[in-house]
Amino acid sequence: MQPAFLLWLSLAAVAGGVLGSFLGLGGGIIIVPVYTLGLGLPVHLAVGTSLVAVIANASSAATVYLRSRLTNLRLALVLAAVTAVGALVGGLVGTSLAGTWLLAAFGFTLIAVGILMLVRPDSSRAGEPRPEQGLAADVAERAWDLTGHYFDRASGAPVTYRPRRVGTGVGFSFLAGILSGMLGIGGGVVQVPVMNLLLGMPIKAATATSSHIISLTAMAAAVVYLGRGYVEPVITAVTVLGVFVGARTGARLAQVLPGTVIKRAFSVVLFYMALRMLAEAFGLTLPF
Amino acid sequence: MPSDEPVYRRLADLLRYGVVAGLVPVVAGLVLALGTGRTGAARALITAGVALTLVLPPAQALVAAVAYASRGDRRFALVATGVLFVQLLAAAVAWIR
């Protein structure tokens, strides 16, 4: 492997980690297009590599969230059971598809995420439900006792919530698993807004719980990609370390930079990457 | 229902040591590959690190299942076992196909 290639690879991995963490999307959604379009790697290899990096990064984040008790562990396990099935299905579908179809699927997903960032740039950071919101659960949800508690350092007060519409959340988790397994993205793109907006969970708990789910489920797809030879050791090592370092920088930047403006601006970059991927998939030439 | 505190603690410890255990061989392999050019040994080290990283999720599910079972919470012990089952199924499918 050429030193110049390794340098670009590490820069791309760090950039993916920084942007993915800062934008709340996870590194995979940046890494896969950059590796395929920018570095010319086969899309299956980019997805397999991204999945391993996603596991390492989500596991590291999950450690911190577990210690601060932000994770709703019971809900994470319930949703992980379904997400893992989705990830396995996604992994099998992704490895069976021709590269062009995988590029097209990624392109359309980028467009959807770009629209979400443009329309609701705060969907991954804002939208705290009222404390009483989500406490009106049905009998089944009470029986499962999925109530979450944590101490919110920002407000200096304890927070208690009970997720509602968990059944719907289970359905979306399956979808998140398929997307994650097929495209090598974490799945938080779907899970976090669903847990926050639909299940009525505070955003911090939703982010933490999503990280935990990813740390449990991305493996179901990663082993499928590994089994097909789509995980190259040196590329994976550079990616895992690059994303690991970049994600920490991105998390710090998120606390000091104006997220909404940057998210809206970055949605343009996502649209551009989506167009490039779709053009590549359908054999078209873009004038830009 | 007793507090889940011990389950949180066990999982946090597992993840903390597990992530480090996976990263150390990856870093060592990369240093070996870039510093000495011994790609064979480097690839073996990195592959070991990746394998450890991939073992972490099933280990998590197993620890959660045992922790909930030891506390008499059969429902969540079963849910965690379900997660473990899907993870092992995925590994089996990847191995066979």
Side-chain angles (χ1 to χ4, degrees):
Chain A
M1 226 167 271
Q2 297 296 317
F5 175 77
L6 283 175
L7 180 68
W8 283 115
L9 194 71
S10 33
L11 287 176
V14 172
V18 171
L19 285 171
S21 169
F22 176 75
L23 300 170
L25 301 173
I29 210 147
I30 313 290
I31 282 175
V32 176
V34 171
Y35 277 17
T36 49
L37 300 174
L39 300 174
L41 290 177
V43 65
H44 289 102
L45 190 72
V47 171
T49 305
S50 170
L51 279 167
V52 177
V54 160
I55 297 170
N57 213 37
S59 299
S60 171
T63 312
V64 179
Y65 290 135
L66 279 169
R67 289 200 180 283
S68 60
R69 303 295 181 266
L70 278 171
T71 308
N72 186 327
L73 189 54
R74 288 168 179 247
L75 181 68
L77 285 170
V78 170
L79 298 183
V82 185
T83 311
V85 177
L88 173 57
V89 172
L92 290 171
V93 171
T95 50
S96 305
L97 283 177
T100 48
W101 285 107
L102 205 52
L103 280 172
F106 209 105
F108 286 122
T109 305
L110 279 180
I111 289 175
V113 173
I115 290 171
L116 188 71
M117 276 175 50
L118 205 59
V119 177
R120 288 190 66 95
D122 291 335
S123 64
S124 66
R125 294 198 201 289
E128 293 292 340
R130 294 185 303 276
E132 72 274 18
Q133 196 175 340
L135 285 176
D138 63 28
V139 176
E141 283 156 13
R142 281 176 193 277
W144 279 80
D145 191 18
L146 300 172
T147 308
H149 317 271
Y150 66 92
F151 183 80
D152 186 21
R153 285 186 193 170
S155 64
V159 176
T160 299
Y161 63 91
R162 182 179 291 132
R164 56 205 155 96
R165 293 195 283 263
V166 174
T168 315
V170 165
F172 276 105
S173 292
F174 183 66
L175 174 73
I178 291 179
L179 276 179
S180 166
M182 198 166 92
L183 306 176
I185 58 179
V189 172
V190 179
Q191 299 267 27
V192 175
V194 164
M195 280 193 266
N196 181 223
L197 303 172
L198 205 67
L199 274 65
M201 289 172 66
I203 189 69
K204 289 176 185 171
T207 307
T209 306
S210 168
S211 265
H212 200 86
I213 295 170
I214 294 163
S215 78
L216 279 164
T217 58
M219 167 268 177
V223 288
V224 177
Y225 278 87
L226 179 71
R228 301 276 177 93
Y230 295 132
V231 177
E232 201 285 325
V234 176
I235 291 174
T236 304
V238 173
T239 307
V240 166
L241 296 176
V243 173
F244 203 78
V245 171
R248 266 135 204 84
T249 312
R252 285 193 201 100
L253 287 177
Q255 292 169 23
V256 292
L257 292 178
T260 306
V261 177
I262 293 175
K263 275 188 167 189
R264 284 213 168 103
F266 196 74
S267 65
V268 178
V269 179
L270 287 188
F271 288 135
Y272 174 70
M273 289 197 295
L275 284 179
R276 286 279 312 270
M277 290 189 104
L278 290 172
E280 187 103 356
F282 297 115
L284 304 171
T285 309
L286 290 178
F288 44 84
Chain B
M1 183 69 62
S3 156
D4 282 354
E5 191 70 19
V7 191
Y8 275 77
R9 228 179 4 247
R10 279 188 214 177
L11 286 179
D13 286 343
L14 172 75
L15 283 175
R16 190 173 67 161
Y17 295 119
V19 168
V20 173
L23 280 179
V24 167
V26 167
V27 174
L30 202 55
V31 169
L32 202 64
L34 299 178
T36 66
R38 291 170 58 194
T39 49
R43 290 172 79 89
L45 270 172
I46 295 168
T47 305
V50 170
L52 281 170
T53 305
L54 292 178
V55 165
L56 203 49
Q60 250 202 92
L62 181 65
V63 167
V66 171
Y68 277 116
S70 66
R71 292 153 41 75
D73 190 337
R74 278 185 287 183
R75 180 176 284 161
F76 279 91
L78 201 65
V79 173
T81 307
V83 175
L84 178 63
F85 173 76
V86 179
Q87 292 166 333
L88 296 180
L89 179 71
V93 167
W95 184 262
I96 293 164
R97 284 169 63 101

